[in-house]
Amino acid sequence: MLAARIERFPIAGSFTISRGAKTEAVVVVAEVSDGTHRGRGECVPYPRYNETPEAALKALRELGDAVAGGLDRQALQAALPAGAARNALDCALIDLEARRAGVRAWDLLGRPTPTPCITAYTISLGSPAAMAEASAKAAHRPLLKIKLGSDSDGECIAAVRKAAPNCELIVDANEGWTPSGLERNLAACAEAGVTLVEQPLPAGWDDMLGRIRRPVKVCADESVHDRRSLEGLRGRYDAVNIKLDKTGGLTEALAMADAAKALGFDIMVGSMVASSLAMAPAMLLAPMARVVDLDGPLLLARDRDDGLRYDGGLVHPPEPSLWG
């Protein structure tokens, strides 16, 4: 049996990127049950990809009869396109399979056991002074992810570095830079000791990245979705950000990570702003990742009762009560 619903989690303050701000995380939860065991998965439909919670909910509910008839993860890959709805159901089916078998999800899938790892902590886009203040408060964390995408990006990243002198910094421009400012902004990031820049230009403008000297490693986010999009990024990006809501679930995400490694890309595992239920499956990618960015629950005013454990800059693998 398949059940699905929309849930809302208030964000502590607001979360601001180059495309705007939001004050709550709206997620869709899928639950599958065989009458004895129950599996859960969570997704975040993203307007950037023309997704809405209502449409994802409808897509899931339309698969109710197929799930009741035995739809498995392999068939699911063809039943829904890559995206948020498929992610929620894929992760729910993995959770159910693991519970039926009495094993952890990573053992079920033949993957390394995840261990506590450093996760990035996000600093929202704002004025240089506001971002410096937020960074100073988070300066005890080993890894900060800085949202950029304004006319004052050079000032912002310099202010952040001054406020958090000992942190590793990565930057996410969320497609917010222009070709005319690309090299200037990359140079400012290099000067601040930034180690990675995510998606500086809009998706589709990737060719310019192959024509310049990149003083900082560049990671594709909006330009990469699943395995099919990897080949076209060679020579333009150094890393790819794998998010389950883009790949359409953990099944494709793991296959994509294997393929990306084979092509020489560094791996970043990321997520949308959501509860621990959305982060938990992504922890299976962490052993392969150069950068882990699973801080979504830390940005919420409240998380699930059985949420992931965050300890300073570390995120711990999920307990069975949450997922897997």
Side-chain angles (χ1 to χ4, degrees):
M1 183 177 70
L2 169 64
R5 62 184 179 274
I6 294 173
E7 296 184 355
R8 299 174 185 272
F9 292 85
I11 292 173
S14 68
F15 179 75
T16 304
I17 65 173
S18 62
R19 282 190 287 272
K22 62 180 182 178
T23 58
E24 66 175 359
V26 183
V27 307
V28 177
V29 175
E31 290 187 357
V32 288
S33 172
D34 62 4
T36 302
H37 303 95
R38 180 189 65 158
R40 298 186 299 169
E42 178 181 314
C43 71
V44 182
Y46 199 35
R48 169 65 179 80
Y49 305 129
N50 300 313
E51 296 177 328
T52 66
E54 293 75 18
L57 187 66
K58 181 175 183 289
L60 288 169
R61 287 176 171 170
E62 288 176 348
L63 286 179
D65 289 343
V67 171
L71 179 81
D72 60 16
R73 283 188 295 120
Q74 287 66 41
L76 173 62
Q77 308 309 303
L80 284 177
R86 195 177 82 187
N87 174 33
L89 184 50
D90 184 73
C91 292
L93 289 170
I94 292 172
D95 191 22
L96 179 62
E97 287 179 43
R99 294 179 189 281
R100 280 174 166 170
V103 300
R104 296 311 308 266
W106 41 86
D107 295 323
L108 177 79
L109 299 174
R111 293 286 169 164
T113 301
T115 58
C117 60
I118 292 172
T119 179
Y121 180 79
T122 302
I123 304 297
S124 285
L125 180 64
S127 68
M131 295 183 73
E133 181 181 2
S135 299
K137 291 178 181 177
H140 62 287
R141 299 179 181 276
L143 176 60
L144 299 183
K145 175 174 173 174
I146 313 303
K147 292 288 187 178
L148 294 181
S150 73
D151 293 336
S152 57
D153 280 349
E155 297 172 62
C156 287
I157 195 61
V160 166
R161 172 49 79 200
K162 184 176 180 180
N166 298 318
C167 298
E168 180 182 356
L169 301 181
I170 59 176
V171 157
D172 187 0
N174 286 113
E175 304 179 280
W177 291 354
T178 62
S180 62
L182 175 63
E183 292 183 89
R184 180 181 69 251
N185 286 330
L186 286 176
C189 288
E191 177 67 22
V194 170
T195 56
L196 188 74
V197 173
E198 276 187 80
Q199 199 66 43
L201 298 175
W205 294 11
D206 306 310
D207 60 324
M208 184 174 182
L209 293 168
R211 301 199 303 266
I212 65 168
R213 186 186 71 85
R214 303 189 296 272
V216 180
K217 285 190 174 184
V218 178
C219 178
D221 185 356
E222 286 84 353
S223 287
V224 66
H225 292 263
D226 54 19
R227 280 173 287 176
R228 294 173 300 175
S229 53
L230 288 172
E231 185 64 38
L233 304 181
R234 297 178 74 180
R236 300 169 177 181
Y237 289 94
D238 307 288
V240 293
N241 188 347
I242 300 177
K243 294 178 178 176
L244 273 60
D245 280 316
K246 292 189 301 178
T247 65
L250 183 58
T251 299
E252 172 62 22
L254 290 169
M256 179 183 172
D258 292 337
K261 280 285 190 183
L263 290 172
F265 290 107
D266 286 341
I267 303 296
M268 177 177 182
V269 53
S271 67
M272 310 303 183
V273 181
S275 85
S276 285
L277 182 57
M279 309 296 127
M283 284 294 295
L284 274 72
L285 292 160
M288 303 177 68
R290 160 66 181 84
V291 175
V292 174
D293 179 24
L294 298 176
D295 67 337
L298 296 177
L299 305 177
L300 302 178
R302 61 174 178 84
D303 190 15
R304 298 184 184 278
D305 291 339
D306 53 357
L308 294 176
R309 180 160 68 93
Y310 290 87
D311 177 16
L314 296 177
V315 57
H316 293 253
E319 295 295 330
S321 57
L322 174 64
W323 184 87

